[in-house]
Amino acid sequence: MNLLKLLDSMCPDTTNAEEKDRFYSRREAFRQFGDMSKKMALAAVPVSLLSALPNVAKADTDSLIGVLNYALTLEHLEYNYYQMGLDSGVIDTAERPIFQKIRDHELAHVNFLTEVISNVLMGTPVAEPSFDFTAGGNFMPFDDYPTFLALAQAFEDTGVRAYKGQAGNVMESDVVLTAALSIHSVEARHASMVRRLRTKKGQDMTKGWITGNDYGTLPAAAAGIYAGEENVSHAGVNVVNLTGIDQDAVSEGWDEPLTMEQTLGIASLFLSS
Amino acid sequence: MKKELFKPEGLIQHTDRRAFLKMGTLSVAGAGLLLMGCKDDEDVMPPVSGGVSLGSGDVGILNYAYALEQLEAAFYAQVMMGSYFANASAEEKTIMGDLEKHERAHREFFKAALGANAIADLEVDFSSIDFSSRNSVLGAAKTFEDLGVAAYNGAGQFLESGDLLLIAGKIVSVEARHAAAIRDLINPNSADFAGDDIIDANGLERTLNFQEVLTAASTYVKTEIDFSQLPG
């Protein structure tokens, strides 16, 4: 994944043959630059080169920026949550490597999305919001480890659903789609790990995958995070009827999306006013 | 442009919406220029005789997923008949039992969705796996699950149908959940569930292309798989 690949995903915003030629030749120049410096870090791409990016269809770009800013908001939330958890000392020593790894990924996602929005799509990344992880004094995640783990599960499962819900909105850019998918599966790995950890510690009976719309021992407010996960019909095929496999197992086999509105409704509980 | 309704039993054999994107001025771009976002039509190549041909377009990609799900389902079915499973812990029995059901459900779903376009059953070869050995079974499970995630992540960009992309997205995150659980069984409470071997410094999981995935899978599949008509 790199900026040069992103260029390849862009189409010229013109029907004029001469302008198309210019688009492709400029893109090829970028490609050759990339070939000379394959090991160049993402952040090291000179701004002067980036500012000369070929024109792309503005509507497409605005739409991509909107989706990526939405993703960036969620990544800010997750990164802040894990960093504060690690700083607070609430996490059992033996399990810190798990949350250090998750924190590292969320920070990498923040940096990656910020870079793509600002230096590739020439947009403005959203500012980091202020968070209230007590949700108005209801939770004490940095004083109580089970609460910390419960909210971590809620954030990761929400993240998986949120990215999934946007796949269709970025599919016009192959590279943005592939990047989003590559973040999406990382969030799913996090979710599986946190879910199973809670069960190993006797705090829940949840598995790495989501059974029906069960939110286990999470607070009732988490019901919205799992609403719809009980679906067993895909593309008009009821997979329980098709296979005779039990409803629980079939529901586990497919994760479901959330819309931007649903996700922001969940996330807004943790934004400070 | 990619807003086609998905018809379970009647997937269109080949769609040519890419013709919309055909450009008249590609020659100026020069040889070697890869047009990922503005694709020209892929070359149409005749299927080889023997084995199975995945086909082209979205059907081809569904068959690609179907092939991988066949492999995974066959693997877990065999795991559950072996002595590792018979002697496994309650937790591991639950996990293996779940994975068998999930993968079988995925396989049967794709078969139904593809209808007459579905490839034949693949002949698998698990002779390199020792089903009495925990290490061997978990190692193979890790290979299959990680491979599945990388395959879906790599193929998503080639799907024309947004509905199919969403379905692939619904499945790939479950494969990632599996992969993380298997990795945690192998090395509990470590960072391996999302290790640096598969996730890069940008926090992005690896993707693999059709050839990489099918080459890795070929160790376990006897049937020759022709993927030459897949897009990309």
Side-chain angles (χ1 to χ4, degrees), chain A residues 30-52:
Chain A
F30 283 109
R31 167 172 296 285
Q32 285 162 1
F33 174 78
D35 287 346
M36 287 185 293
S37 50
K38 278 204 169 74
K39 288 178 182 167
M40 185 173 59
L42 187 71
V45 178
V47 173
S48 57
L49 274 168
L50 289 165
S51 64

Side-chain angles (χ1 to χ4, degrees), chain A residues 81 131-144 146-148 150-151 155 217-222 265-272:
Chain A
Y81 184 70
F131 298 105
D132 169 20
F133 292 112
T134 73
N138 285 303
F139 307 116
M140 303 303 271
F142 307 125
D143 298 311
D144 179 59
T147 302
F148 177 82
L151 287 187
F155 293 145
T217 60
L218 262 51
I266 293 163
S268 67
L269 298 174
F270 302 97
L271 296 174
S272 47

Side-chain angles (χ1 to χ4, degrees), chain B residues 10-28:
Chain B
L11 270 178
I12 296 157
Q13 185 67 39
H14 184 66
T15 54
D16 254 346
R17 272 156 301 129
R18 289 216 165 119
F20 275 68
L21 301 170
K22 237 178 175 173
M23 312 217 179
T25 56
L26 286 181
S27 56
V28 300

